[in-house]
Amino acid sequence: QRTRTMASNDKSERRSDSSSEEEQSGSIGKEVEFKQNSNDDENDIEKESSLDRGDEAKSKEETANPPTKKKRKVHKLSMTQTEDFNAKLKKRGVIYIARIPPKMSPTKIKKLLQEIVQETGAEVTRVYLVEEDPTVRKRRRKDGGNGSKRYIEGWVEISSKKVAKHVALSLNNTPISNQKRNTHFGDLWAVKYLSKFQWSHLTEKVAYERRVKEQKLRLETLQARKETAAYKQLVETGKKLDKIEERLHRKRKKGQNSKPSGKLGDDDDGPSSSRKRSNVKQVTPTDDGATKSTHKSLLGSLV
């Protein structure tokens, strides 16, 4: 029994020692974690303060030295390069497309013509298409048609005059596509080569048309302003005339109401009493028969 009690006491002591060690290790781990968290918080605060200082310093520098716009570098061409470029421009040819089918865009035309021109070694340099009038597009939308953008005519520039002439002759009055499922099946090319025509002529024409359009708009706006000013003036004069007529009408009404309705010799209580009386005072005596009779009676009494 004594050995058993001694063994049980040893076991309980060991358990208590192990539990105390675990508690000590747990408390130490918690302290370490708390210290790490506190250190992390301090580091974060220091970082934020350093960032704030850096932002303040940047703002001070910006206020002291405002940012200047970087000047774009202008790449100057030499005389030889400009001469080469002008020579290339003179070699280029221009094709005129009289009709452009619907659902055809500049990129599509460039792609189709590039496939044809690529065999000869030339390339399509520039494409310009004229859009249709916006009023026509609005009318088509109202009628229930397709509201997509359409083009009327166009010009295509090719890097070689010979190739441009050959393409215009070979493509004119030929179908755009032979595939039945293609949207342009049944449409024909209407192409013509423009001899002695350069792209600069087209840009000049477009600029001139734009200037004419702007001038027309300016004249229309001036005419509209003049018409609105004249209309406003007429409205103001009409209002003035209406006010004058109202005033005259009121005066006529007052005059009709003030006229006597009865005959002469009626009582003063009648409508004749409503007439306006003049405020002029009488200076000289009137020569009536009543005054003469009174004078005679006064003289008789005195005699």
Side-chain angles (χ1 to χ4, degrees):
Q1 287 178 355
R2 283 179 184 176
T3 55
R4 284 176 185 174
T5 52
M6 288 290 286
S8 61
N9 289 327
D10 291 332
K11 284 179 182 179
S12 61
E13 283 176 359
R14 285 174 186 172
R15 283 175 185 172
S16 62
D17 292 334
S18 62
S19 61
S20 62
E21 284 176 359
E22 286 176 358
E23 286 176 357
Q24 285 177 0
S25 63
S27 62
I28 290 161
K30 285 178 181 179
E31 286 177 357
V32 170
E33 285 178 358
F34 179 73
K35 284 179 181 178
Q36 286 177 355
N37 291 326
S38 63
N39 290 326
D40 292 334
D41 293 333
E42 286 176 358
N43 291 326
D44 292 334
I45 290 161
E46 285 178 358
K47 283 178 183 178
E48 287 176 358
S49 62
S50 64
L51 288 169
D52 293 333
R53 286 171 188 168
D55 293 333
E56 287 176 359
K58 281 181 183 178
S59 62
K60 284 178 181 178
E61 285 177 0
E62 285 175 358
T63 51
N65 299 318
T68 55
K69 289 182 180 179
K70 291 182 178 179
K71 291 182 179 179
R72 290 181 180 178
K73 289 182 179 179
V74 179
H75 297 286
K76 292 181 180 180
L77 294 170
S78 62
M79 286 296 292
T80 53
Q81 287 177 342
T82 52
E83 284 173 0
D84 292 339
F85 182 71
N86 290 327
K88 283 179 182 178
L89 287 175
K90 284 178 181 177
K91 286 178 183 178
R92 290 177 183 179
V94 180
I95 290 168
Y96 173 68
I97 302 170
R99 181 188 171 274
I100 292 162
K103 295 182 181 179
M104 183 75 82
S105 62
T107 52
K108 204 167 187 180
I109 283 174
K110 191 172 183 180
K111 189 179 177 182
L112 289 168
L113 292 173
Q114 187 65 40
E115 287 175 359
I116 298 160
V117 171
Q118 198 171 4
E119 296 173 358
T120 58
E123 60 176 352
V124 177
T125 52
R126 284 181 279 196
V127 178
Y128 175 73
L129 303 181
V130 180
E131 291 182 13
E132 66 177 350
D133 195 8
T135 54
V136 177
R137 190 179 175 188
K138 282 181 182 177
R139 206 180 298 130
R140 190 171 67 248
R141 274 184 177 178
K142 281 182 181 178
D143 295 338
N146 190 5
S148 61
K149 195 185 284 183
R150 287 186 185 178
Y151 300 93
I152 303 164
E153 56 184 0
W155 288 264
V156 181
E157 189 185 46
I158 298 169
S159 59
S160 175
K161 284 182 180 180
K162 288 181 181 179
V163 175
K165 198 171 184 179
H166 177 70
V167 167
L169 290 168
S170 61
L171 283 181
N172 195 24
N173 289 327
T174 56
I176 293 169
S177 177
N178 293 319
Q179 295 176 358
K180 288 185 178 179
R181 290 185 180 181
N182 197 339
T183 53
H184 304 297
F185 179 74
D187 291 323
L188 299 173
W189 286 105
V191 185
K192 187 183 178 182
Y193 172 71
L194 302 174
S195 61
K196 297 178 182 179
F197 187 85
Q198 293 181 358
W199 197 260
S200 59
H201 301 153
L202 179 63
T203 52
E204 284 172 7
K205 182 192 171 188
V206 170
Y208 174 73
E209 286 176 355
R210 195 178 295 155
R211 263 186 265 119
V212 168
K213 195 176 181 180
E214 286 174 359
Q215 196 171 359
K216 279 183 181 177
L217 283 169
R218 206 179 296 118
L219 289 169
E220 284 174 2
T221 51
L222 286 168
Q223 188 68 24
R225 281 176 186 172
K226 283 180 182 177
E227 286 175 1
T228 50
Y231 180 72
K232 282 179 181 177
Q233 196 173 357
L234 288 169
V235 168
E236 286 174 359
T237 51
K239 283 179 180 178
K240 285 177 183 177
L241 290 169
D242 290 337
K243 284 179 181 178
I244 290 162
E245 284 180 0
E246 282 177 5
R247 234 180 280 149
L248 290 168
H249 191 61
R250 283 174 194 167
K251 282 181 181 179
R252 283 170 193 165
K253 276 187 177 180
K254 284 180 182 178
Q256 285 175 4
N257 292 328
S258 64
K259 278 182 183 180
S261 61
K263 293 179 182 179
L264 291 169
D266 291 339
D267 296 331
D268 293 336
D269 297 331
S272 61
S273 61
S274 64
R275 286 184 295 175
K276 290 182 180 179
R277 293 178 181 179
S278 61
N279 295 322
V280 180
K281 291 182 181 180
Q282 190 174 350
V283 178
T284 57
T286 55
D287 296 332
D288 293 333
T291 54
K292 287 179 181 179
S293 62
T294 50
H295 283 302
K296 284 180 182 180
S297 61
L298 285 168
L299 287 168
S301 62
L302 288 168
V303 171

